[in-house]
Structure formats: structure tokens, C-alpha cells
């Protein structure tokens, strides 16, 4: 036996796996023969299948009695009554009223008494236009439907085997085997759905065609009757009128079915389009989980590309309006779990990384308009800012302090005057942060906002403008030194902390802090006083853009690093996420090989659930718990509309029922 956890070379199943698959197929066949294995027909398909089973012997009886009816004139009366009984059973099965069938058969019986001399001619016509077409219908169309059902059953056997193999792979805890088993399962499920759709259509076509085609056969029969009845013009005219009504009804049925087919095709196209369009929604839902376990696993296993991957995830979540909710939840948890206000957002959690990436990407234009011109001025002339006597050498420290204060003031003034340009998400985050901090640390009402906007946004951009897209090229130590000092001044001002003995050479900046504290607090208060529409903003990318670029990249990365990601999830005690992740990736892998369906020209007003195309069904129906409600809504409207009633006669037949004839040969469960 293969050792536990051993991989199959070359990606091909081992002999043991092949033997297990054969055993599963044999087991499924035996269970189906014993009646212990369900065939998972849909409600409509099961109903149509039962109707087809009942109609076959009715058709056969009908043909047998027709032949018997034509064989002997002596047996005419007995045969026509048997034929009437058969027609009654047929009418009850397809929704035809007994009275209307009785009228038709009564007219046939009465007229036949006067045409015994023309029976041979009549026999040939009936055989050609009634018996042979019905026999052909049974021999070809119904046989075709039976063959389609057999193919569907074989596909179900293969699907059961694939499902059993998938369950065994899930028990092995090997993510690669899970992925391979899930992919094979989805291929088998796609074949199963194709065979089910094919069988459903074949049975539906048989049941649909029987309505108006069999009526067409009867109309030909009536035509020959009209030729025979030359001795009774009254009856002939009445019968002709009845034939016209039946013909009109048959034409209306044909038009109605064509319109219904077009409506069902549109509904099915729209369902296919919607399922393909929302194929990434389960992945987005997994990425937007409040615990961020999958996001953290992706970033940890991405190595040097972690920042690029995190940026892609931020764009995806932002396009789906999930970023702000996750960041706010991360802020709430950070405040609840921290022991002191001074340690807020100084860690490197996944939520903190997500917030930093979002602020950096969303606020880039804000940084450019607010700070870039000041940073360029400092970097173009970095001399005269050193205020540490140990590093100043022969420089005038007092004069440098004046220059440092002036430059820091320009940076601060530019920030304080930029409130109107501040992105609304920043202000919304600041408001939420302040509200959460005040609950635990009321004395840090303003420093919490300052720590957020300066520590996580302005100061990193000032300290490293080359990595924030504010400066092209690299910085040397001499250029970076004034930026460090400016950041120190701004950060202490934002935190409300003065310089002490640790950095005594910066004591003179305390005056800068005292002078600007009131204006800075006012800025913080105005920052968190958001307008009513602060939650409405333009995402970094549209849904179409992330679905065409970012999400396929994340999908490819997940498949590539699946084993590493699974190990990380196990280490973080999130083993239960691995089967869902493997199933989702298998589904997306199958869908990635399917051509995108075109968008239908219009959305159906109300549509039945026609089911997906064979190419999409296997992937879109599995691992799609999120779409079960919409599938139920579609199924609830799947019953077709009733066919138009039979046109009322201008002059009733001699044996017409008391009520007007309506609803003859209604369409049965499609």
C-alpha cells in the first residue's frame, strides 16, 4: 500500500486509486439495482419521466386498438369502444377532458356507419397518417429519450465514484490530493449536469411534441373522415368546424411553445451569465472574513511579494466595499486587546498591514498635493538641519534649529490646511478609531487620531518618500537626516508628548509643540467630524478590473502556494478552512478554462431555473452555498404558463358538453 501522505508521481492516479475508483463504480451500480441509491432527479424531470413511462403503454395500446379497429367491420363497435377507453385514459393523463374526447369519438363512431364501402381506402389513409406516425414517434423519439436517460444514469455512477474519491482525499489531509480530487469531482459533476440537462430536454421535447403533433395526426384522421361522410352535410360541417378549432388551437400551441422556448433560453442564458459573473464571490467572501486567516496565510507564504499581494487583496476588497468594514473591525479588536493607548497600532498584525496598505494606496494623491513640494525642497538642499551637537561638527546648531522649526512648521501648516483634500475613508476611520479609544482611554481622545494620521500615514511618507512614490531615486544618509528630525517633531506634536532627557538636543522643539498644540487638536476634531456621505467614495479599481486582473492573480497564487498556505492554516488552528479552500480553487480552476458567456441582451422578467450550461454547471453548482437562495428563487418560478384555451365553437356539436371546451391538450410539466 502507498504510504500515508505520499504523492502520486506525475500527477497520475496510482493503481490502488484506480482500483478504488472501479470498486466505487461497482458499488454504486449494485446499490442502484437494489433501489438503495437515489438518482437525484429534479422534481420536473422526475414528474416528466413518470408521465413518459405512463404514456408509452398508452401509445402502444392506442396503436394496437387502431389496427384491430381496421381489421374487421364486425369488430368495429367493440374496437371503437376500446379505442374510446384508451383515448379517455390518454386524455386524463395529459389533461384532456373526457367529454370532449367523447364528442370526438362519438362523431367518429356515428359517421363510420355510413362509410363501410370506403373502409379499404380509409384503412390505408389511417395507417399512413395515424398509426405509422405514432409508431415512428414511439420507436424514434421515445427511444432517444430512453437513451438519454441511460447516459444520465451512467454519468451519475461516475459522479458518485468521484464523490467517494473526494471524500477519501479529504480524510487524508493532503491539500494537493484534495485539490486533485476536487477538480476530478467538478469534471464529473460537469458531465453529470450535461447528461441531466440532455436527458431533461429529451424527455421534455417528447412530452411537448406529443401535444400538438399527436393532434396533427388526429387532424389528418379527421380530414379523411370528412371525405368519407358524403351522406350527411350537417355532420360534416360540424366536424369541419371542430377540426378548424383544433387546428387553430394547435397553431396557438406551437406559437406559445416557441415563445416559451425563447423565454426559457433567455432565462438560462442569464443564469449562466450571472453564475459566471459571480464566480469569484466565494473567494472574496473568504478573503473578507473578519479573522483574515486566509489573507494572513497568503501574505506569510508570498515571501518577497507579500506587499504586492497585499495591495492586490486591498484592491479586491475595496472594489467589493469590504475594506472599511474589515479595517473598522480590526480597529475595534486592536483597542479591545491592547493594554495601553501608547501601544495602539505599533504592532504588525494583518489588520494593521491592511490598514496601512489601504491608506497608502488611497491617500497617494493626497500626499502628493500636501507634502511632495516640501519634501522636494528639503531633499534639494538637505544642509543646515542637524541640531545634535555630536553630529553637527562645525555647524551652527542654533541656526539649524531655527531652520528645522521653520521647515517643520511649513510641513504642519500644509497638513492643517489640507482637510478639504483628505480622503473621506481616512476621516471615517479616524472617527471610528476615536470613538473606540474613548471607551477605554478617554484621556487619549486626540492622541489616538494623531497616532493614526501621523504614525501610519504622514510620517512614513516623510521618512521614506522614495518608497511612497513621492521621490524618484534613492536617498543617502544626509538627505534622510532632516526628514527624520521633521518626523520626530510632528510625531511628538501629534502624540502630545514633549522631548525630554532622552533626546535633550531637541528640547527647543517643545516650544514648537506648545505653539501648535491647539491648532493640531482643532485639526483632529475637524478630521473626525465627517460629512454624512463619508462611506461613499470611488474604489481604487472597479469590479470588472479586479475580476480581470487581481482575482485571477490571487487564484493562481493560491494554487501555487496551496501546500504552504495549508500548513500555515494548520499552525494557526484553522484546519477546517482547508477543504473549503481546496473545493473553491478546484471550481475556479474548471471555470478558468471556460469561455466567458456573453451578456444577454435583456434580463428576463421572470424565469425558471433552466440550470447552467454543461461547461459551467459542474463548477458553479458545487461549493456555491452562497447562491442557494437565488437558485431556490429561480426554481419557484419554473412552472410554465398554461396554454391558451381551445377556441369556442360557433355552433356546438350535437354531443357537445354543457360548458365551453377549454384547455384541451394542455402542456404538462415542463
Amino acid at each position: 500500500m502507498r504510504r500515508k501522505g505520499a504523492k502520486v508521481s506525475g500527477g497520475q492516479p496510482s493503481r490502488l486509486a484506480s482500483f478504488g475508483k472501479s470498486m466505487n463504480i461497482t458499488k454504486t451500480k449494485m446499490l442502484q439495482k437494489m433501489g438503495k441509491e437515489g438518482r437525484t432527479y429534479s422534481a420536473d424531470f422526475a414528474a416528466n419521466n413518470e408521465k413518459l413511462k405512463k404514456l408509452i403503454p398508452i401509445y402502444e395500446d392506442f396503436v394496437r386498438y387502431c389496427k384491430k379497429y381496421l381489421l374487421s367491420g364486425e369488430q368495429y363497435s367493440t374496437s371503437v369502444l376500446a379505442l374510446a377507453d384508451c383515448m379517455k385514459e390518454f386524455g386524463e393523463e395529459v389533461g384532456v377532458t373526457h367529454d370532449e374526447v367523447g364528442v370526438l369519438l362519438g362523431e367518429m363512431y356515428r359517421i363510420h356507419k355510413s362509410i363501410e364501402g370506403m373502409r379499404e381506402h380509409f384503412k390505408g389513409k389511417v395507417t399512413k397518417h395515424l398509426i405509422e406516425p405514432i409508431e415512428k414517434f414511439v420507436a424514434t423519439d421515445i427511444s432517444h429519450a430512453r437513451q438519454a436517460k441511460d447516459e444520465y444514469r451512467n454519468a451519475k455512477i461516475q459522479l458518485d465514484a468521484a464523490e467517494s474519491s473526494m471524500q477519501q482525499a479529504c480524510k487524508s489531509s493532503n491539500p494537493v490530493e484534495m485539490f486533485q480530487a476536487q477538480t476530478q469531482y467538478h469534471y464529473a459533476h460537469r458531465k453529470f449536469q450535461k447528461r441531466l440537462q440532455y436527458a431533461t430536454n429529451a424527455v421534455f421535447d417528447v412530452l411537448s411534441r406529443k401535444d400538438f403533433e399527436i393532434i396533427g395526426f388526429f387532424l389528418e384522421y379527421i380530414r379523411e373522415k370528412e371525405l368519407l361522410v358524403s351522406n350527411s352535410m350537417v355532420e360534416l360541417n360540424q366536424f369541419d368546424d371542430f377540426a378548424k378549432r383544433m387546428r387553430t388551437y394547435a397553431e396557438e400551441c406551437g406559437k406559445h411553445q416557441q415563445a416559451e422556448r425563447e423565454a426559457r433560453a433567455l432565462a438560462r442564458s442569464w443564469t449562466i451569465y450571472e453564475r459566471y459573473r459571480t464566480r469569484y464571490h466565494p473567494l472574496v467572501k473568504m478573503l473578507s472574513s473578519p479573522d483574515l486567516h486566509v489573507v494572513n496565510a497568503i501574505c506569510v507564504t508570498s515571501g518577497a511579494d507579500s506587499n504586492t499581494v497585499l495591495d492586490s487583496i486591498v484592491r479586491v476588497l475595496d472594489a467589493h466595499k469590504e475594506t472599511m468594514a474589515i479595517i473598522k473591525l480590526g480597529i475595534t479588536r486592536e483597542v479591545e486587546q491592547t493594554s495601553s493607548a501608547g501601544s495602539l497600532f505599533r504592532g504588525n498584525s494583518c489588520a494593521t498591514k491592511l490598514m496601512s496598505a489601504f491608506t497608502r494606496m488611497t491617500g497617494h494623491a493626497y500626499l502628493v498635493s500636501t507634502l511632495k513640494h516640501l519634501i522636494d525642497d528639503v531633499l534639494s538642499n538637505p544642509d543646515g538641519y542637524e541640531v545634535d551637537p555630536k553630529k553637527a561638527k562645525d555647524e551652527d546648531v542654533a541656526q539649524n534649529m531655527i531652520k528645522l522649526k521653520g521647515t517643520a512648521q511649513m510641513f504642519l501648516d500644509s497638513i492643517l490646511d489640507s482637510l478639504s483634500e483628505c480622503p473621506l475613508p481616512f476621516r471615517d476611520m479616524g472617527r471610528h478609531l476615536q470613538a473606540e479609544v474613548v471607551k477605554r482611554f478617554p484621556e487619549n481622545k486626540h492622541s489616538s487620531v494623531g497616532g493614526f494620521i501621523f504614525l501610519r500615514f504622514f510620517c512614513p511618507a516623510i521618512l521614506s518618500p522614495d518608497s511612497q512614490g513621492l521621490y524618484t531615486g534613492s536617498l543617502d544618509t544626509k538627505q534622510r537626516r532632516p526628514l527624520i528630525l521633521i518626523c520626530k517633531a510632528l510625531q511628538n506634536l501629534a502624540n502630545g508628548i514633549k522631548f525630554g532627557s532622552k533626546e535633550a538636543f531637541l528640547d527647543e522643539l517643545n516650544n514648537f509643540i506648545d505653539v501648535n498644540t491647539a491648532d493640531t487638536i482643532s485639526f483632529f476634531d475637524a478630521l473626525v467630524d465627517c460629512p454624512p456621505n463619508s462611506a461613499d467614495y470611488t474604489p481604487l479599481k472597479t469590479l470588472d478590473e479586479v475580476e480581470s486582473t487581481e482575482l485571477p492573480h490571487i487564484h493562481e497564487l493560491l494554487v501555487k502556494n496551496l501546500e504552504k498556505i495549508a500548513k500555515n492554516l494548520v499552525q494557526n488552528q484553522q484546519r477546517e478552512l482547508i477543504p473549503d479552500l481546496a473545493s473553491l480553487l478546484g471550481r475556479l480552476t474548471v471555470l478558468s478554462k471556460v469561455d466567458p458567456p456573453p451578456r444577454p441582451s435583456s434580463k428576463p422578467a421572470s424565469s425558471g431555473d433552466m440550470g447552467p450550461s454543461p461547461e459551467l454547471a459542474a463548477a458553479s453548482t458545487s461549493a456555491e452555498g452562497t447562491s442557494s437562495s437565488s437558485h431556490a428563487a429561480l426554481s419557484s418560478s419554473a412552472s410554465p404558463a398554461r396554454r391558451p384555451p381551445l377556441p369556442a365553437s360557433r355552433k356546438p356539436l350535437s354531443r357537445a358538453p354543457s360548458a365551453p371546451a377549454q384547455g384541451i391538450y394542455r402542456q404538462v410539466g415542463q
Side-chain angles (χ1 to χ4, degrees):
M1 295 179 62
R2 183 168 57 92
R3 292 178 301 164
K4 183 177 181 180
K7 297 182 178 179
V8 181
S9 61
Q12 298 296 326
S14 64
R15 294 182 177 178
L16 182 58
S18 299
F19 177 75
K21 179 178 179 182
S22 300
M23 291 295 294
N24 288 333
I25 293 175
T26 303
K27 176 183 176 182
T28 302
K29 288 182 177 179
M30 293 177 64
L31 289 175
Q32 286 188 349
K33 290 181 178 180
M34 295 169 64
K36 297 182 178 181
E37 182 80 5
R39 292 175 180 169
T40 63
Y41 294 151
S42 66
D44 291 343
F45 181 77
N48 287 344
N49 188 42
E50 290 300 319
K51 290 178 181 179
L52 184 60
K53 289 180 180 179
K54 294 179 180 179
L55 287 175
I56 291 174
I58 295 175
Y59 283 135
E60 293 173 349
D61 290 343
F62 180 80
V63 171
R64 185 172 67 255
Y65 283 120
C66 279
K67 291 181 178 179
K68 184 178 180 181
Y69 167 70
L70 297 176
L71 286 177
S72 173
E74 296 178 357
Q75 299 177 350
Y76 174 78
S77 297
T78 304
S79 299
V80 79
L81 291 176
L83 180 61
D85 291 339
C86 184
M87 286 296 298
K88 175 183 176 182
E89 186 179 356
F90 174 79
E92 290 175 349
E93 188 63 35
V94 298
V96 183
T97 63
H98 171 65
D99 287 340
E100 291 166 346
V101 174
V103 171
L104 176 61
L105 295 179
E107 289 298 303
M108 290 166 52
Y109 179 83
R110 183 173 58 84
I111 294 173
H112 194 74
K113 289 292 185 179
S114 62
I115 57 172
E116 290 296 333
M118 303 176 64
R119 281 189 55 80
E120 290 302 321
H121 176 75
F122 176 67
K123 177 181 177 180
K125 293 294 184 180
V126 171
T127 302
K128 180 178 180 181
H129 296 295
L130 185 62
I131 297 176
E132 291 180 355
I134 293 179
E135 288 179 333
K136 182 178 180 182
F137 182 79
V138 173
T140 57
D141 298 79
I142 295 181
S143 297
H144 175 71
R146 284 176 169 175
Q147 181 181 359
K149 290 195 300 179
D150 292 338
E151 293 176 355
Y152 157 75
R153 294 191 187 100
N154 292 333
K156 179 61 174 64
I157 292 172
Q158 296 176 7
L159 176 61
D160 291 341
E163 182 178 5
S164 177
S165 299
M166 177 187 66
Q167 293 174 353
Q168 293 177 4
C170 290
K171 295 178 182 178
S172 69
S173 301
N174 188 317
V176 175
E177 289 186 1
M178 291 182 191
F179 167 68
Q180 293 174 346
Q182 287 282 354
T183 302
Q184 292 299 324
Y185 170 77
H186 289 300
Y187 276 119
H189 199 285
R190 181 183 65 175
K191 181 178 179 181
F192 165 76
Q193 286 290 338
K194 180 178 179 181
R195 293 293 186 264
L196 175 58
Q197 185 67 36
Y198 186 63
T200 301
N201 289 341
V203 175
F204 169 77
D205 288 342
V206 170
L207 293 177
S208 298
R209 290 177 55 195
K210 73 172 186 326
D211 285 346
F212 58 92
E213 288 192 0
I214 298 299
I215 291 175
F217 301 155
F218 293 156
L219 290 176
E220 293 298 325
Y221 178 83
I222 293 171
R223 282 175 174 271
E224 295 303 323
K225 274 293 183 182
E226 292 176 348
L227 296 176
L228 295 176
V229 185
S230 59
N231 59 340
S232 181
M233 287 299 298
V234 176
E235 287 79 357
L236 183 61
N237 290 337
Q238 291 181 357
F239 210 86
D240 184 62
D241 180 69
F242 185 84
K244 291 178 180 178
R245 289 169 53 200
M246 296 291 288
R247 188 178 298 108
T248 301
Y249 174 68
E251 293 174 355
E252 291 297 323
C253 286
K255 294 178 181 178
H256 181 80
Q257 186 184 19
Q258 180 62 27
E260 189 176 85
R261 281 182 175 273
E262 293 175 357
R264 289 168 65 90
L266 177 61
R268 180 168 174 265
S269 298
W270 186 263
T271 301
I272 294 171
Y273 171 75
E274 281 296 304
R275 288 180 177 175
Y276 187 87
R277 185 182 64 83
T278 59
R279 65 194 182 282
Y280 286 114
H281 285 192
L283 177 58
V284 174
K285 182 178 179 181
M286 186 173 288
L287 294 176
S288 60
S289 172
D291 295 326
L292 297 176
H293 291 304
V294 176
V295 173
N296 181 67
I298 294 174
C299 294
V300 169
T301 58
S302 298
D305 298 329
S306 60
N307 290 334
T308 302
V309 174
L310 185 61
D311 289 351
S312 294
I313 294 175
V314 168
R315 294 187 190 98
V316 170
L317 297 179
D318 191 46
H320 288 82
K321 299 293 185 180
E322 297 284 352
T323 313
M324 288 298 297
I326 295 176
I327 291 177
K328 286 182 178 180
L329 181 59
I331 289 173
T332 301
R333 291 182 176 177
E334 179 89 7
V335 174
E336 290 175 349
Q337 297 172 4
T338 191
S339 57
S340 64
S343 61
L344 282 172
F345 303 108
R346 297 183 182 273
N348 204 24
S349 66
C350 190
T352 303
K353 290 179 181 179
L354 195 67
M355 182 174 66
S356 299
F358 178 70
T359 54
R360 170 173 50 80
M361 297 166 66
T362 306
H364 182 264
Y366 178 42
L367 287 175
V368 171
S369 63
T370 305
L371 299 179
K372 188 177 188 307
H373 63 287
L374 297 174
I375 294 174
D376 289 341
D377 291 342
V378 173
L379 295 179
S380 63
N381 184 18
D383 297 326
Y385 287 97
E386 185 57 67
V387 293
D388 187 352
K390 297 179 181 180
K391 299 179 181 180
K393 297 181 180 180
D394 298 332
E395 297 183 44
D396 186 348
V397 175
Q399 188 64 33
N400 288 355
M401 178 59 72
I402 294 174
K403 184 176 181 180
L404 176 60
K405 285 183 180 180
T407 304
Q409 188 66 50
M410 287 190 293
F411 273 80
L412 179 63
D413 291 342
S414 182
I415 292 173
L416 298 182
D417 293 338
S418 67
L419 183 62
S420 61
E421 301 178 15
C422 182
L424 291 178
F426 285 25
R427 304 180 67 178
D428 194 21
M429 281 189 285
R431 175 177 60 183
H432 181 77
L433 171 63
Q434 187 183 73
E436 295 297 318
V437 171
V438 168
K439 294 177 183 178
R440 292 197 61 195
F441 311 104
E443 69 280 4
N444 294 98
K445 176 181 178 181
H446 295 103
S447 62
S448 61
V449 180
F452 158 65
I453 195 68
F454 279 89
L455 175 64
R456 285 290 173 181
F457 186 61
F458 284 125
C459 288
I462 296 173
L463 188 61
S464 302
D466 48 342
S467 64
Q468 301 289 328
L470 301 180
Y471 182 77
T472 57
S474 58
L475 303 182
D476 55 29
T477 305
K478 183 178 180 181
Q479 289 177 307
R480 199 176 297 276
R481 180 60 179 172
L483 299 179
I484 294 175
L485 297 175
I486 293 171
C487 280
K488 287 179 178 290
L490 294 177
Q491 189 61 58
N492 277 32
L493 171 63
N495 292 333
I497 301 174
K498 293 185 178 181
F499 293 98
S501 58
K502 184 178 179 180
E503 293 178 307
F505 62 92
L506 295 177
D507 283 349
E508 291 190 34
L509 289 176
N510 290 335
N511 180 52
F512 167 80
I513 295 175
D514 292 335
V515 170
N516 292 289
T517 296
D519 291 340
T520 303
I521 291 176
S522 298
F523 173 75
F524 293 156
D525 289 336
L527 181 72
V528 299
D529 186 15
C530 302
N533 61 341
S534 58
D536 297 331
Y537 64 94
T538 302
L540 297 168
K541 283 193 174 183
T542 64
L543 288 172
D544 291 338
E545 289 174 338
V546 299
E547 288 183 0
S548 62
T549 56
E550 310 295 343
L551 283 168
H553 172 67
I554 294 174
H555 168 222
E556 181 180 355
L557 185 68
L558 283 168
V559 174
K560 177 182 177 182
N561 296 335
L562 178 59
E563 194 166 2
K564 296 180 181 178
I565 292 172
K567 289 181 180 178
N568 182 272
L569 292 174
V570 172
Q571 292 172 359
N572 289 280
Q573 299 180 351
Q574 297 298 322
R575 182 187 298 271
E576 66 275 6
L577 294 177
I578 298 177
D580 292 339
L581 180 60
S583 176
L584 176 59
L585 295 179
R587 171 184 171 238
L588 290 177
T589 298
V590 175
L591 279 176
S592 65
K593 303 181 184 302
V594 177
D595 293 334
R599 189 182 191 280
S601 57
S602 61
K603 185 176 181 180
S606 69
S607 58
D609 187 8
M610 295 299 298
S613 68
E615 293 77 13
L616 296 177
S620 62
T621 54
S622 61
E624 197 171 283
T626 56
S627 64
S628 59
S629 59
S630 61
H631 184 273
L634 287 171
S635 298
S636 64
S637 61
S639 298
R642 296 173 67 88
R643 292 201 174 186
L646 189 69
S649 174
R650 295 189 299 273
K651 181 178 180 181
L653 296 175
S654 58
R655 296 180 57 193
S658 58
Q662 293 185 356
I664 294 181
Y665 298 109
R666 295 187 186 95
Q667 183 182 18
V668 288
Q670 297 179 7

